[in-house]
Amino acid sequence: SSALRNACVCCLDISERLLKMCKARNPHAYCFKGSMEDTLFEDDSFDVVYNFGGINETDIDKSLAETWRIAKPDSLIVLADENFDATSWLRKLWVVFISNLTFIHSYYWDMTASRQPKQPFPKIRSWLKSHAGEYEVLYDGVKPGLFFTMVIRKTSAKTRKRGPQP
């Protein structure tokens, strides 16, 4: 649609390498180096906030609070990341992989395995309970031991009064 063609795209990542890849694929995108824990964007800045991979590599509560803060009322929030549970074969493989690397071209600040993978989905659900009545879950998908995706509409006071619209 024409709205998407005219959209202003802002990308945030802690990896310089991934930001360069983003800029190469999306020359009109604004790319910023930083963390989802403190984006420095103004409150209510975005119609859509797509937080992929910004949950496990950050303090989950800070990342969720920041995602919520920068999303406009009536905006969409998409959360997606790994969902490692304690018995997951993927988690075990990840721990072996990460503990044997000496150099990583990835999301790590200092190129070391600074954090163990988390199981963020239960914490996200708990965090959302503290915002009861302020959102609508449009999609809630978890593949145990693999990935999760959640699409949320952050509702405004106006939307809450008239009810969700199709």
Side-chain angles (χ1 to χ4, degrees):
S1 81
S2 63
L4 290 177
R5 279 191 289 269
N6 296 324
C8 175
V9 177
C10 296
C11 304
L12 177 79
D13 206 295
I14 61 174
S15 168
E16 195 71 46
R17 183 175 132 280
L18 291 177
L19 288 172
K20 286 179 184 175
M21 289 171 53
C22 175
K23 193 66 172 173
R25 291 183 183 172
N26 306 289
H28 300 291
Y30 295 94
C31 296
F32 302 93
K33 186 172 182 178
S35 167
M36 274 309 296
E37 291 178 3
D38 186 17
T39 65
L40 303 179
F41 295 119
E42 293 183 20
D43 293 358
D44 304 327
S45 294
F46 297 98
D47 295 310
V48 178
V49 178
Y50 181 64
N51 186 338
F52 180 80
I55 303 285
N56 274 326
E57 292 302 318
T58 62
D59 177 289
I60 292 173
D61 290 321
K62 287 181 181 177
S63 180
L64 292 172
E66 189 68 2
T67 299
W68 192 264
R69 184 188 68 76
I70 65 174
K72 290 179 180 178
D74 294 322
S75 65
L76 291 179
I77 296 172
V78 180
L79 303 172
D81 213 326
E82 299 93 1
N83 186 51
F84 297 104
D85 59 26
T87 60
S88 163
W89 64 269
L90 190 59
R91 178 189 170 104
K92 291 173 186 173
L93 180 63
W94 175 260
V95 170
V96 169
F97 174 72
I98 211 72
S99 63
N100 287 297
L101 288 181
T102 56
F103 189 74
I104 302 169
H105 288 288
S106 186
Y107 292 99
Y108 302 103
W109 290 102
D110 58 0
M111 297 306 210
T112 62
S114 57
R115 297 187 177 149
Q116 292 287 325
K118 303 169 189 168
Q119 185 181 10
F121 209 69
K123 191 150 191 166
I124 292 169
R125 288 180 195 222
S126 174
W127 191 89
L128 283 172
K129 284 181 183 177
S130 69
H131 292 276
E134 298 175 24
Y135 67 91
E136 174 187 5
V137 175
L138 303 176
Y139 178 79
D140 184 346
V142 179
K143 296 200 180 288
L146 294 174
F147 295 96
F148 74 87
T149 303
M150 182 178 259
V151 180
I152 302 161
R153 179 179 312 280
K154 177 183 175 182
T155 57
S156 65
K158 183 177 172 183
T159 304
R160 287 190 295 273
K161 286 180 185 173
R162 70 172 189 251
Q165 301 298 306

